[in-house]
Amino acid sequence: MRREEVDLLVIGSGAAGLAAAVTAAHGGLRVILAEKSRTIGGTTAWSGGWIWAPCNPVAHRHGIHEDPAEPRRYLAAVLGNDFNAELVDAFLTAAPQMVGFFERNTALQFECGAKIPDTYSHLPGAGMGGRSVIARPYEADDLGQDLPLLRKPMRETTFCGMTIQAGPDLRAFLTATRSLPSALHVARRLGRHFWDLARHGRGMQVRNGNALVARLLRSALDAGVEIMIRHEATALLSDKNAIAGARLDSPDGPVQIRARKGVVLAAGGYPHDIARRSDSFPRPESHVSLALPMATGDGLRLGETAGGRQAQELAAPGAWCPVSLVPFGKDRTGCFPHIIDRGKPGVIGVLSNGQRFCNEGLGYHDYVRDMLEALPAGATAQSWLICDHRFIRRYGLGIVRPAPVPLGGWVRNGYLMRAASPKALARACGIDPEGLCATLDQYNKHAIKGEDPDFHRGTTPYMRLQGDPDQTPNPCVAPILRPPYYAVKVVPGSFGTFAGLQTDGSARVLGAANRPIRGLYAAGADMASVMGGHYPAGGINLGPALTFGFVAGRHAAKET
């Protein structure tokens, strides 16, 4: 058995693990980061990349200053009885410090989400912009010989492997057929991307979560972090009532790593641990996870062997998102997250009875929660997004891209249902025809005037941001009238899990009597969500993951 000694061992290479490793290395520690797959980045590399970090210095540079008490007031309003004051205060204190640390010391630089409001922007303390940041686009060839370590972005959310960032970049793609500046932007992006594909076999100008991982990987390499891929942690080592390393399996045999300052668990939660998911998820038989297949609960199992406990009393065990299943052929099925399309004007979500059940333009977490609550007893957990020809050619639907990209292939393979009338569409989908027609009549009667008295779409800043500013008087509401009509089936999905190990505000795993287990930290999805199972804003997965990874690395570096 090969043996090594370091100061800190980090298990997992998503945002949390990379943040912990980089922070600890800058604190003077020798760090090993162990990843069981062949590439770095975990589910973070597939994500949209937004990071919720209130009162951050990037917002300050944009002239956005707010009372730190306001985000705390907002979280108290959203979380209610699930508000954990210790974790919330630790997060709100450390998040701006985390952003500042990485900007000063590493390759991770940020752009400001200056116009992104919190999801429940009608509640006390809600932010109207500046609480979110995202990694700046990155030229991946800067990784040099280490480029193969960077996980490629998720196929379903790219265009031929090209990442498109929410904001001006995405809007240019949506308006390329109606705006010359947008068309020129898209032409430049496509030209560069296909040139990169020809030369490198992948896009090199990366955005979103892929840029976040690339910048953190560059930072880890610069800081001297030793990265060990294809090394799966199988057991923790203890010494004098403290965690002191781990055993790992590798292609060359077992490895024992002694870690003087302990171990950080950041292995991505349990989205693909079927047994644990079945015990905690509602309607687990219908659930589809968007998380990396290798996220199988390793961190939770290791933490429990040391006395740690999985959180049980959360509002939801996972970060929900509606998902459609994408047939790619050759028995491969992809998963598309419906993040953007639901908020555009001219689409509604219905159950098999043809009735709406939610405000489609609110958060993706809310869509799945409301769908599960509205389903009749015994009904299959599914819904359909319904739109007309005008909508799908202007905005796309699911993986179907807007004009001028053809959509016929998606009709032929069954992903996209199309019919000349609402009744015919309902029959093709297995929806009650009379129910769908009645719903569309009720919706269209008010949508012509830009109103939605049933679910109040377009009544908050968050909803209006998701809409189309060119649609008046309500950017979130338009009638569904122009045939043919289209539908995509949507099922419950998730980005990952919330119900990780219980920790304190220093990211230390809690054991018996709620006392910290010496030398054992958890961050990211291996740590119970500071949000208590709620989804108050975009970026509430990556924001705490980076922050508590930073907290764990800093705490380990200061430990004597």
Side-chain angles (χ1 to χ4, degrees):
M1 177 185 291
R2 191 170 95 245
R3 290 175 170 82
E4 295 198 34
E5 286 196 10
V6 293
D7 295 313
L8 186 70
L9 171 63
V10 178
I11 298 171
S13 69
L18 285 165
V22 172
T23 305
H26 272 273
L29 302 189
R30 184 188 169 207
V31 181
I32 284 180
L33 185 147
E35 166 57 50
K36 74 176 183 179
S37 71
R38 296 173 177 271
T39 52
I40 297 300
T43 303
T44 301
W46 286 357
S47 72
W50 285 100
I51 299 152
W52 200 65
C55 303
N56 64 79
V58 183
H60 295 170
R61 293 201 300 269
H62 283 75
I64 302 172
H65 302 272
E66 64 175 332
D67 184 345
E70 288 301 284
R72 191 181 197 276
R73 190 159 73 103
Y74 175 64
L75 291 181
V78 177
L79 274 53
N81 292 333
D82 300 307
F83 185 88
N84 181 319
E86 180 187 0
L87 292 184
V88 168
D89 290 341
F91 168 68
L92 292 176
T93 298
Q97 298 171 356
M98 174 273 294
V99 172
F101 167 82
F102 282 111
E103 285 218 309
R104 288 191 306 272
N105 299 293
T106 77
L108 179 51
Q109 305 294 302
F110 299 100
E111 293 179 350
C112 182
K115 296 181 179 179
I116 301 177
D118 293 333
T119 302
Y120 308 109
S121 44
H122 58 289
L123 291 181
M128 294 300 115
R131 290 180 179 175
S132 299
V133 295
I134 192 168
R136 290 181 182 173
Y138 186 69
E139 296 292 340
D141 54 4
D142 187 52
L143 291 171
Q145 65 180 13
D146 296 299
L147 175 63
L149 289 175
L150 177 63
R151 181 177 301 282
K152 291 182 179 180
M154 188 178 185
R155 175 181 178 181
E156 292 84 341
T157 56
T158 68
F159 184 75
C160 299
M162 180 176 65
T163 48
I164 300 172
Q165 185 171 311
D169 189 43
L170 175 60
R171 180 156 178 78
F173 278 84
L174 291 176
T175 59
T177 59
R178 308 191 303 276
S179 163
L180 180 58
S182 294
L184 292 174
H185 173 87
V186 169
R188 285 193 295 268
R189 292 271 278 119
L190 288 173
R192 164 66 192 277
H193 178 69
F194 287 116
W195 173 248
D196 286 340
L197 285 181
R199 289 199 306 160
H200 304 286
R202 63 164 297 158
M204 299 296 285
Q205 190 180 59
V206 296
R207 285 169 162 76
N208 306 338
N210 217 241
L212 174 60
V213 169
R215 287 182 173 278
L216 283 168
L217 175 57
R218 178 72 270 163
S219 303
L221 295 168
D222 292 343
V225 174
E226 183 179 350
I227 295 173
M228 299 169 60
I229 59 171
R230 303 175 68 194
H231 280 67
E232 179 177 358
T234 57
L236 294 175
L237 306 176
S238 60
D239 184 18
K240 297 180 180 179
N241 299 316
I243 299 303
R247 291 190 182 92
L248 295 86
D249 283 340
S250 79
D252 299 320
V255 181
Q256 179 173 288
I257 298 178
R258 287 279 174 181
R260 290 180 285 272
K261 299 298 183 74
V263 174
V264 179
L265 301 174
Y270 65 98
H272 292 284
D273 180 339
I274 302 303
R276 196 184 293 264
R277 202 170 81 183
S278 296
D279 288 341
S280 60
F281 277 34
R283 309 295 290 268
E285 74 285 354
S286 303
H287 190 88
V288 176
S289 178
L290 292 156
L292 197 70
M294 280 74 83
T296 54
D298 297 353
L300 272 69
R301 287 192 294 274
L302 291 170
E304 288 170 339
T305 66
R309 303 186 311 279
Q310 182 184 7
Q312 303 291 337
E313 304 299 324
L314 301 179
W320 306 143
C321 178
V323 167
S324 54
L325 301 179
V326 183
F328 282 127
K330 297 182 180 178
D331 299 321
R332 182 180 181 273
T333 300
C335 307
F336 185 91
H338 289 264
I339 299 172
I340 297 169
D341 50 6
R342 297 169 298 100
K344 296 292 185 284
V347 64
I348 58 172
V350 302
L351 299 177
S352 59
N353 57 14
Q355 297 176 10
R356 293 174 71 196
F357 57 90
C358 72
N359 181 328
E360 299 88 353
L362 207 54
Y364 29 85
H365 186 83
D366 303 86
Y367 185 99
V368 173
R369 180 201 62 204
D370 292 347
M371 176 171 64
L372 294 173
E373 290 178 355
L375 287 169
T380 302
Q382 59 189 17
S383 67
W384 287 263
L385 290 174
I386 308 291
C387 72
D388 65 6
H389 191 72
R390 180 203 67 88
F391 180 96
I392 204 165
R393 294 287 70 197
R394 190 177 183 97
Y395 309 113
L397 184 67
I399 201 167
V400 181
R401 309 307 186 194
V405 182
L407 55 74
W410 299 113
V411 176
R412 288 189 292 273
N413 71 12
Y415 174 80
L416 181 67
M417 304 303 292
R418 178 171 63 187
S421 69
K423 276 191 177 182
L425 183 68
R427 293 190 190 102
C429 296
I431 302 170
D432 175 49
E434 301 303 326
L436 179 59
C437 288
T439 294
L440 283 172
D441 287 344
Q442 167 72 4
Y443 172 78
N444 286 332
K445 179 173 67 174
H446 300 284
I448 290 172
K449 298 178 286 186
E451 299 171 354
D452 179 23
D454 292 328
F455 291 98
H456 312 291
R457 279 171 66 170
T459 56
T460 69
Y462 173 84
M463 288 184 238
R464 290 192 288 274
L465 182 69
Q466 309 308 310
D468 180 351
D470 295 333
Q471 176 68 33
T472 59
N474 187 333
C476 305
V477 176
I480 303 171
L481 294 169
R482 182 181 169 190
Y485 298 87
Y486 298 86
V488 167
K489 184 189 292 186
V490 172
V491 299
S494 67
F495 295 114
T497 49
F498 281 151
L501 298 166
Q502 294 178 335
T503 67
D504 67 4
S506 296
R508 297 178 295 182
V509 176
L510 297 176
N514 278 338
R515 295 179 62 85
I517 299 170
R518 287 180 55 207
L520 187 61
Y521 303 88
D526 283 353
M527 170 187 175
S529 171
V530 63
M531 303 302 165
H534 298 266
Y535 217 111
I540 57 87
N541 290 311
L542 289 180
L546 285 166
T547 298
F548 284 104
F550 163 76
V551 166
R554 183 176 62 179
H555 188 277
K558 291 181 178 178
E559 280 286 276
T560 58

